[in-house]
């Protein structure tokens, strides 16, 4: 049901924007209620609507009992206990995420039966319940994104796994990697699925061959410069203008020190010494001055990954280190790679091991540096996928959606403000639990932590996730990448002036905040008692904190919700995460990781200098390229990840871009409509700002020979894999 219009009134037609699935009374005998497009705060609700408003919320909450049926519209919470399948195989048992041992956000409750062999685990199924109105619309179902994601995960990827005889077989030569884009991979004959119709970008029909060919499109980065991944300049640039620009931090203390127990994990002080750094920056400055001038930055996965090294190394076909990567800010605003430290804690009889690698002019050190970079990139790729992308956007947003539907009436103005930012997210998350983050799914089979992958996101949630730090300005300040300055643009002075993600992101953040401010101030008077006395709003925020993110309920950093300013900051943060942040870390996935040597999802072998055997050293000195290829993902891992990233990076033809279409309820309120049109104007201005910045030759992190312009926060896009476009919601 799209819309109901009642004509015949002197004041004009009354519209009801339904956007809802309506089922037969034999499925669902309860009568449906649709409210008109006029928004009301609870205290302003017309007397005749008060009971209907309350009853509808009671219906949406359900009673927490039984297995949910496909036609139901019930929103309830549960832990992540459906990622494993111990009834199928004991090795597929996975811990429950959510609770004291493994803190985690909550997901939507489905009520499926428990596993016979593990009563803590829910039985997986092909059809995962999501509340009916969270399901894809008919239009969405037949368009590219949803259909191809389903087909790619459920048909092509399993088909690939059976087509490759040796799952551990790597690429013998770099030319074999290039062949994936030039010649393609022959898909064996298959009867049930016409891949070229569901995955038109990837599966080519070659007239002279009987088989379909899986041939990957050349990523835009490689198309501009096929050696882009090899350059140290690009390695540094991508930490601020690539797929994961959210982890680099300012170095404020020297020497770098671990906070882990030195009796368990080895010396706290980093092996990257002053002497090592000053050899790299000789003629520029000293380490002491570099820190004072805010010129040293670090990509630090040392404390995060080091405690996991022993367990990960017990798994087949993968390895892990704790890592630190140090960068120096050049005068031209680019980042120079200085050093990489890789460490292994004591394991059994093996003592603590670590080594520092630096760029060099000698072949041996150069190849060791390239190998060390591959390990760091695998760490960054895993952290990006499991934390920056899945946890911070998909996973942490689901409790907001559930609470919004349980506590805010469809008539509530904040419900209507947030609604477009939540479309299809629960459906895409359910699909992720089925095939991406599940036991033996895409992530576990292809990324460095393997079976420990989902625990990585739980550890990150426990140790690092804070709601207030999801706001872009707060995140930048927290990482030392910005400080408050009322005289600077957006009130922030950036430590790296040419920081494309931050530069474009802050323009978008300000546009969103201005729109949310206008909207909130229209419905709430300046008197803070209006916000405090809004029972639905207070129940909503309380439930997000104490139930949806209940494992964090006692943290002191949760914002209060007492004033208009509090409400604006909370809503702006949620909108930013679902739109700008998700776009920045999602739609460049194929662009930057499609050519996997640039961002290998997994590192399969140790550094040749760690406990080397004569055979390994001989191979390294004789053919260092082969040592690097052996470290890279296997053929099946590479093709699986490339296929999925291509799909995840695609915009569907009916993509709903931020600010492009006004919601019916907004349009009927003149002041809100005017504020939205102002918001649209700011987004159009951002389009021009991005183009202007990318054309500026002084901005070397987004302009230069072979450098891909930074467009991930450009609001609109054409369909397909474009590396730009900011949708309203997390819909892919």
């Amino acid at each position: 049901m799209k819309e109901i219009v009642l004509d015949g009134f002197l004041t004009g037609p009354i519209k009801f924007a339904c956007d809802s699935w309506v089922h037969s009374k034999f499925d669902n005998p309860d009568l449906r209620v649709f409210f008109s497009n006029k928004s009301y705060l609870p205290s302003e609700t017309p007397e005749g609507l008060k009971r209907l408003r309350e009853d509808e919320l009671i219906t949406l909450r359900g009673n927490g009992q039984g297995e949910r049926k496909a036609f139901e519209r019930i929103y309830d919470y549960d832990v992540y206990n459906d990622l494993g399948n111990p009834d199928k195989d004991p090795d597929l048992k996975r811990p429950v995420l959510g609770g004291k041992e493994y803190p985690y956000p909550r997901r939507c409750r489905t009520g499926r039966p428990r596993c016979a062999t593990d009563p803590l685990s829910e039985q997986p199924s092909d059809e995962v319940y999501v509340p009916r109105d969270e399901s894809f619309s008919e239009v969405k179902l037949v368009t590219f994104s949803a259909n191809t994601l389903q087909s790619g995960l459920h048909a092509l990827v399993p088909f690939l796994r059976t087509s490759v005889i040796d799952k551990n077989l790597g690429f013998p030569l770099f030319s074999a990697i290039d062949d994936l884009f030039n010649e393609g991979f022959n898909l064996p004959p298959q009867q049930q699925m016409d891949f070229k119709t569901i995955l038109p970008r990837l599966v080519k029909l070659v007239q002279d061959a009987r088989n379909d060919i899986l041939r990957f499109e050349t990523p835009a980065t490689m198309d501009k410069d096929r050696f882009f991944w090899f350059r140290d300049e690009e390695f540094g640039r991508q930490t601020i203008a690539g797929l994961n620009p959210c982890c680099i931090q300012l170095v404020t203390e020297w020497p770098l020190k671990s906070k882990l127990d030195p009796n368990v994990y080895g010396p706290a002080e980093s092996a990257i010494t002053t002497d090592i750094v000053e050899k790299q920056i000789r003629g520029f400055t000293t380490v002491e001055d570099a820190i004072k001038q805010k010129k040293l930055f670090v990509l630090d996965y040392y404390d995060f990954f080091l405690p996991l090294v022993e367990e990960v190394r017990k798994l087949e076909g993968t390895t892990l280190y704790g890592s630190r990567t140090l960068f120096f800010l050049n005068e031209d605003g680019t980042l120079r790679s200085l050093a990489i430290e890789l460490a292994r804690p004591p394991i059994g009889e093996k003592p603590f091991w670590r080594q520092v690698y630096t760029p060099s002019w000698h072949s041996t050190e150069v190849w060791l540096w390239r190998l060390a970079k591959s390990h760091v990139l695998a760490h960054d790729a895993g952290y990006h996928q499991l934390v920056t992308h899945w946890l911070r956007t998909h996973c942490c947003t689901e409790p907001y959606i559930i609470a919004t539907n349980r506590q805010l009436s469809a008539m509530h103005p904040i419900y209507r403000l947030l609604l477009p930012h939540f479309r299809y997210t629960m459906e895409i998350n359910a699909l992720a639990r089925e095939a991406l983050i599940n036991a033996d799914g895409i992530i576990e089979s292809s990324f460095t932590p393997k079976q420990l992958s989902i625990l990585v996101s739980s550890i990150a949630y426990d140790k690092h996730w804070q709601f207030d730090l999801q706001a872009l300005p707060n995140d930048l300040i927290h990482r030392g990448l910005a400080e408050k300055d009322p005289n600077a643009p957006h009130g922030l002075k950036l430590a790296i002036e040419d920081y494309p993600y931050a530069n474009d992101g802050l323009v978008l953040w300000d546009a969103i905040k201005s729109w949310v401010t206008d909207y909130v101030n229209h419905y709430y008077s300046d008197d803070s008692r209006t916000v405090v006395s809004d029972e639905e709003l207070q129940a909503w925020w309380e439930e997000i904190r104490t139930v949806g993110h209940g494992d964090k309920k006692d943290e002191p950093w949760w914002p209060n919700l007492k004033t208009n300013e509090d409400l604006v900051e909370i809503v702006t943060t949620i909108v930013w995460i679902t739109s700008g942040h998700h776009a920045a870390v999602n739609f460049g996935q194929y662009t930057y990781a499609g050519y996997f040597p640039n961002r290998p999802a997994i590192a399969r072998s140790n550094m040749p200098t760690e406990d080397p055997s004569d055979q390994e050293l001989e191979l390294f000195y004789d053919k260092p390229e082969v040592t690097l290829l052996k470290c890279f993902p296997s053929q099946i891992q590479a093709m699986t990840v490339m296929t999925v990233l291509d799909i995840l990076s695609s915009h569907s033809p009916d993509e709903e871009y931020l600010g492009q279409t006004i919601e019916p309820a907004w349009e009927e309120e003149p002041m809100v409509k005017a504020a939205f049109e102002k918001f649209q104007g700011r987004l159009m201005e951002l389009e021009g700002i991005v183009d202007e910045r990318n054309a500026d030759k002084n901005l070397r992190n987004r302009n230069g020979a072979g450098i891909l312009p930074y467009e991930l926060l450009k609001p609109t896009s054409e369909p397909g894999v474009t590396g730009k476009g900011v949708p309203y919601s997390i819909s892919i």
Side-chain angles (χ1 to χ4, degrees):
M1 179 88 68
K2 188 71 183 167
E3 187 181 52
I4 297 170
V5 181
L6 300 182
D7 287 312
F9 296 91
L10 292 175
T11 53
I14 298 177
K15 295 181 180 180
F16 297 74
C18 303
D19 284 320
S20 178
W21 294 91
V22 180
H23 282 258
S24 157
K25 65 182 179 182
F26 299 106
D27 283 338
N28 188 359
D30 294 337
L31 294 175
R32 285 297 304 275
V33 175
F34 291 107
F35 298 100
S36 74
N37 294 349
K38 173 75 173 170
S39 296
Y40 295 101
L41 294 175
S43 60
E44 299 168 350
T45 311
E47 201 61 39
L49 291 177
K50 283 184 177 178
R51 185 182 58 80
L52 290 172
R53 180 173 186 147
E54 292 167 2
D55 288 351
E56 177 72 354
L57 286 174
I58 291 170
T59 299
L60 290 168
R61 291 173 197 148
N63 61 9
Q65 303 296 315
E67 184 172 0
R68 298 271 65 89
K69 297 177 178 61
F71 61 82
E72 291 180 325
R73 300 162 51 244
I74 291 174
Y75 295 80
D76 202 357
Y77 299 94
D78 208 344
V79 292
Y80 279 73
N81 60 354
D82 63 339
L83 301 180
N85 192 355
D87 286 353
K88 181 179 179 182
D89 184 339
D91 288 340
L92 296 180
K93 181 180 177 179
R94 294 293 179 270
V96 174
L97 301 186
K100 190 172 182 180
E101 187 174 6
Y102 299 110
Y104 217 56
R106 298 302 188 259
R107 65 167 175 91
C108 182
R109 180 184 175 277
T110 65
R112 287 173 289 181
R114 298 301 176 96
C115 292
T117 57
D118 178 20
L120 293 177
S121 297
E122 195 172 82
Q123 287 181 9
S125 62
D126 291 336
E127 296 294 329
V128 179
Y129 167 81
V130 294
R132 192 65 182 101
D133 288 344
E134 303 300 327
S135 300
F136 292 128
S137 66
E138 285 185 309
V139 173
K140 198 81 174 173
L141 279 171
V142 297
T143 55
F144 184 77
S145 61
N147 202 24
T148 49
L149 186 58
Q150 287 270 11
S151 304
L153 297 182
H154 290 293
L156 181 58
V157 168
F159 190 68
L160 271 175
R161 288 182 174 183
T162 59
S163 302
V164 178
I165 298 170
D166 183 356
K167 66 176 183 178
N168 295 316
L169 184 65
F171 291 89
L173 302 164
F174 273 94
S175 57
I177 301 174
D178 293 345
D179 285 344
L180 294 175
F181 307 100
N182 301 326
E183 306 298 328
F185 174 79
N186 279 306
L187 293 173
Q190 35 77 33
Q191 306 297 324
Q192 298 180 341
M193 189 69 66
D194 184 4
F195 290 129
K196 62 182 174 288
T197 60
I198 57 174
L199 296 167
R201 268 178 51 86
L202 297 183
V203 182
K204 313 293 184 184
L205 178 63
V206 180
Q207 292 182 347
D208 297 337
R210 295 181 61 188
N211 296 348
D212 287 339
I213 305 292
L214 182 67
R215 190 167 68 211
F216 293 91
E217 293 283 335
T218 304
T221 42
M222 190 186 177
D223 193 43
K224 275 189 158 287
D225 177 4
R226 54 175 303 208
F227 299 110
F228 80 105
W229 66 279
F230 218 50
R231 295 187 286 109
D232 285 348
E233 312 93 274
E234 184 67 8
F235 177 52
R237 190 186 78 86
Q238 285 185 29
T239 62
I240 54 174
L243 194 51
N244 187 24
C246 312
C247 289
I248 191 168
Q249 303 172 63
L250 179 71
V251 174
T252 56
E253 295 180 353
W254 192 262
L256 301 172
K257 284 186 179 179
S258 168
K259 294 178 182 176
L260 299 173
D261 184 350
N263 296 317
V264 179
Y265 297 107
E269 192 169 304
S270 171
I272 303 177
T273 62
T274 300
D275 186 51
I276 289 173
V277 174
E278 290 186 349
K279 279 182 180 176
Q280 295 292 320
I281 58 173
R282 183 170 291 146
F284 285 88
T285 186
T286 63
V287 168
E288 186 180 355
D289 286 343
I291 291 173
K292 284 180 183 175
Q293 296 168 25
K294 298 187 176 181
K295 286 184 174 293
L296 278 188
F297 297 86
V298 65
L299 194 61
D300 192 347
Y301 294 123
Y302 193 91
D303 283 11
F304 188 81
F305 280 128
L306 199 64
L308 297 173
V309 168
E310 183 173 0
E311 288 302 308
V312 169
R313 288 192 174 201
K314 292 176 183 176
L315 306 173
E316 181 190 358
T318 186
T319 191
L320 187 62
Y321 294 99
S323 69
R324 295 184 180 102
T325 308
L326 200 63
F327 299 94
F328 176 74
L329 182 63
N330 293 318
E331 292 297 322
D332 62 2
T334 58
L335 288 172
R336 172 189 298 217
S337 310
L338 298 181
I340 290 172
E341 179 180 10
L342 300 179
R344 176 200 70 198
I347 300 176
E349 298 297 315
K350 293 183 177 180
F352 174 76
W353 176 93
R354 67 180 175 185
Q355 191 165 343
V356 175
Y357 304 90
T358 58
S360 175
W361 286 262
H362 184 265
S363 60
T364 301
E365 280 73 33
V366 162
W367 275 103
L368 287 172
W369 169 252
R370 289 168 183 161
L371 282 159
K373 274 203 304 183
S374 293
H375 283 277
V376 168
L377 289 165
H379 301 165
D380 193 59
Y383 193 91
H384 160 263
Q385 202 63 264
L386 291 160
V387 181
T388 310
H389 181 201
W390 163 253
L391 175 69
R392 288 182 64 179
T393 66
H394 291 260
C395 187
C396 286
T397 295
E398 188 147 337
Y400 310 149
I401 302 172
I402 299 171
T404 299
N405 284 277
R406 286 169 57 87
Q407 300 298 342
L408 297 182
S409 164
M411 285 193 289
H412 199 290
I414 299 303
Y415 174 93
R416 285 180 161 151
L417 176 59
L418 290 172
L419 183 62
H421 299 287
F422 293 158
R423 284 195 181 114
Y424 312 127
T425 300
M426 290 179 75
E427 177 92 336
I428 222 73
N429 286 2
L431 190 57
R433 301 203 311 275
E434 283 182 78
L436 283 173
I437 63 168
N438 61 311
D440 201 34
I442 305 299
I443 300 291
E444 281 199 2
S445 63
S446 304
F447 282 76
T448 282
K450 284 211 153 181
Q451 286 94 311
L452 299 179
S453 289
I454 202 64
L455 290 184
V456 166
S457 64
S458 174
I459 294 166
Y461 180 70
D462 183 29
K463 294 184 181 301
H464 302 307
W465 189 84
Q466 294 185 201
F467 180 85
D468 58 329
L469 296 183
Q470 306 313 298
L472 178 60
N474 293 349
D475 171 54
L476 294 171
I477 292 168
H478 178 71
R479 291 188 285 121
L481 270 296
E483 58 185 30
K484 290 183 179 179
D485 182 349
N487 298 316
H490 319 291
L492 290 180
K493 181 182 179 183
L494 294 176
I496 302 173
E497 290 184 15
D498 180 15
Y499 184 178
Y501 164 72
N503 294 133
D504 296 355
L506 286 169
V507 178
L508 182 56
W509 170 272
D510 281 358
I512 293 170
K513 188 168 185 177
S514 177
W515 151 240
V516 172
T517 300
D518 290 343
Y519 187 97
V520 165
N521 288 342
H522 174 70
Y523 287 101
Y524 292 91
S525 67
D526 291 337
D527 184 350
S528 63
R529 286 176 297 179
T530 316
V531 168
V532 173
S533 63
D534 186 333
E535 294 174 358
E536 287 185 8
L537 192 68
Q538 293 298 327
W540 167 76
W541 186 233
E542 175 78 6
E543 188 167 286
I544 285 173
R545 292 184 293 113
T546 63
V547 184
H549 286 277
D551 297 335
K552 295 272 195 176
K553 67 178 185 297
D554 297 323
E555 297 288 354
W557 39 253
W558 284 106
N560 292 314
L561 180 50
K562 295 181 178 178
T563 65
N564 286 19
E565 289 74 20
D566 295 338
L567 180 57
V568 166
E569 187 72 13
I570 288 166
V571 171
T572 302
T573 299
I574 293 173
V575 170
W576 161 255
I577 286 294
T578 58
S579 57
H581 178 87
H582 180 259
V585 302
N586 182 75
F587 292 104
Q589 289 192 86
Y590 191 74
T591 301
Y592 285 101
Y595 185 71
F596 67 85
N598 183 57
R599 288 184 69 80
I602 192 168
R604 297 192 297 155
S605 57
N606 295 338
M607 291 293 294
T609 50
E610 182 201 345
D611 305 330
S613 68
D614 292 342
Q615 187 178 5
E616 287 172 334
L617 278 179
E618 186 178 347
L619 175 65
F620 171 66
Y621 282 111
D622 191 39
K623 292 196 175 216
E625 179 183 324
V626 173
T627 301
L628 181 58
L629 287 164
K630 282 165 67 82
C631 185
F632 281 161
S634 66
Q635 292 188 25
I636 182 61
Q637 287 170 332
M639 286 191 289
T640 298
V641 172
M642 290 163 70
T643 300
V644 173
L645 294 188
D646 183 274
I647 298 167
L648 294 179
S649 302
S650 290
H651 290 293
S652 64
D654 67 328
E655 189 78 89
E656 298 170 28
Y657 295 103
L658 186 65
Q660 197 171 53
T661 306
I662 190 169
E663 291 289 296
W666 306 345
E667 192 169 27
E668 292 191 17
E669 198 70 47
M671 291 294 289
V672 173
K673 183 181 179 183
F676 181 78
E677 287 170 351
K678 188 168 72 171
F679 178 48
Q680 284 182 313
R682 286 175 176 244
L683 295 177
M684 288 180 64
E685 186 181 2
L686 177 55
E687 297 265 347
I689 289 171
V690 171
D691 288 340
E692 183 180 16
R693 286 172 173 171
N694 286 331
D696 186 346
K697 289 184 168 55
N698 294 316
L699 300 179
R700 298 198 165 204
N701 291 316
R702 55 198 308 160
N703 188 299
I707 286 180
L708 190 71
Y710 188 80
E711 297 185 314
L712 287 169
L713 289 168
K714 200 171 184 182
T716 58
S717 170
E718 309 80 44
V721 178
T722 62
K724 59 184 175 182
V726 181
Y728 269 111
S729 65
I730 304 163
S731 59
I732 187 68

